[in-house]
Amino acid sequence: MQSQTSVLSLLNDYQPKDPEEQKARLFIQDFVQQQTAFWSRETLSGHLTASAWITDRDCRQAVLLHHRKLDMWVQPGGHIDASDPSLIDASRREAIEETGLDGLYPKHRDIFDLDVHAIPARKSEPEHWHLDIRFWWVADDLSLQINEESNDLAWLSAAEIRKRTDEESVLRMVRKTLRES
């Protein structure tokens, strides 16, 4: 996994325009400075996660999945593994695992979006924070393959996404990328 220094540099280079996203950046920076295992699931108060915002080449639709455990529509993403060389690599791995899309390429290699959200307690896991670092990926092949973590998986237009979720961080990514039909 990337060092604290390189992750902090990546965060410093990202300048969000949205006030909520700016708060998230400051929270994540502080967390990374204080936690040596900032990415590890074993850091029970919270940990960084890596998500993938995937659009088609024309920015007319994005991939969302209906998350089985959270019972909501979200972008692909998840926990960072010790074997992931970087955050962007973790994002790509999660995208492939959750969508089956292997032919992804990054729109750019910088952070695309940030979010901090609470994950409810479950079984042996206490409630904790996911400090989500998001990267923008573009897919040429639109063939999706659902996995066991999801109830549904689909390419959706901006209008279709708004029908499925009112989650502000997802809608913010829609506003940043998708063209209205």
Side-chain angles (χ1 to χ4, degrees), residues 131-146:
L131 293 73
D132 202 24
I133 312 292
R134 298 162 173 183
F135 296 89
W136 183 1
W137 297 92
V138 177
D140 285 327
D141 177 9
L142 306 183
S143 304
L144 297 172
Q145 185 175 357
I146 195 167

Side-chain angles (χ1 to χ4, degrees), residues 55-80:
T55 65
D56 63 344
R57 183 180 290 265
D58 297 326
C59 294
R60 299 219 178 267
Q61 52 190 349
V63 174
L64 287 188
L65 56 89
H66 188 267
H67 197 280
R68 188 176 304 276
K69 289 180 186 174
L70 297 176
D71 190 29
M72 62 190 294
W73 286 91
V74 294
Q75 73 286 346
H79 291 101
I80 298 164

Side-chain angles (χ1 to χ4, degrees), residues 40-58:
S40 174
R41 289 179 83 161
E42 293 180 20
T43 305
L44 295 180
S45 62
H47 35 266
L48 267 61
T49 54
S51 284
W53 182 248
I54 305 169
T55 65
D56 63 344
R57 183 180 290 265
D58 297 326

Side-chain angles (χ1 to χ4, degrees), residues 61-161:
Q61 52 190 349
V63 174
L64 287 188
L65 56 89
H66 188 267
H67 197 280
R68 188 176 304 276
K69 289 180 186 174
L70 297 176
D71 190 29
M72 62 190 294
W73 286 91
V74 294
Q75 73 286 346
H79 291 101
I80 298 164
D81 293 344
S83 59
D84 290 321
S86 68
L87 294 173
I88 195 168
D89 290 313
S91 169
R92 185 174 192 282
R93 177 186 50 75
E94 284 288 335
I96 293 168
E97 286 175 5
E98 294 185 352
T99 68
L101 295 168
D102 197 14
L104 298 171
Y105 60 91
K107 182 72 173 179
H108 48 72
R109 297 194 62 80
D110 301 322
I111 292 171
F112 166 67
D113 193 81
L114 298 170
D115 188 57
V116 175
H117 50 273
I119 299 297
R122 233 178 67 74
K123 297 181 183 172
S124 62
E125 283 187 356
E127 181 179 66
H128 60 280
W129 294 106
H130 274 186
L131 293 73
D132 202 24
I133 312 292
R134 298 162 173 183
F135 296 89
W136 183 1
W137 297 92
V138 177
D140 285 327
D141 177 9
L142 306 183
S143 304
L144 297 172
Q145 185 175 357
I146 195 167
N147 77 6
E148 71 282 350
E149 294 179 31
S150 303
N151 293 319
D152 200 359
L153 175 67
W155 283 101
L156 302 169
S157 68
E160 292 168 325
I161 291 171

Side-chain angles (χ1 to χ4, degrees), residues 11 13-25 114 176:
L11 288 162
D13 288 346
Y14 182 62
Q15 298 299 317
K17 294 171 181 51
D18 179 271
E20 287 304 309
E21 211 183 347
Q22 180 62 27
K23 283 188 225 173
R25 183 177 76 113
L114 298 170
K176 287 181 179 183

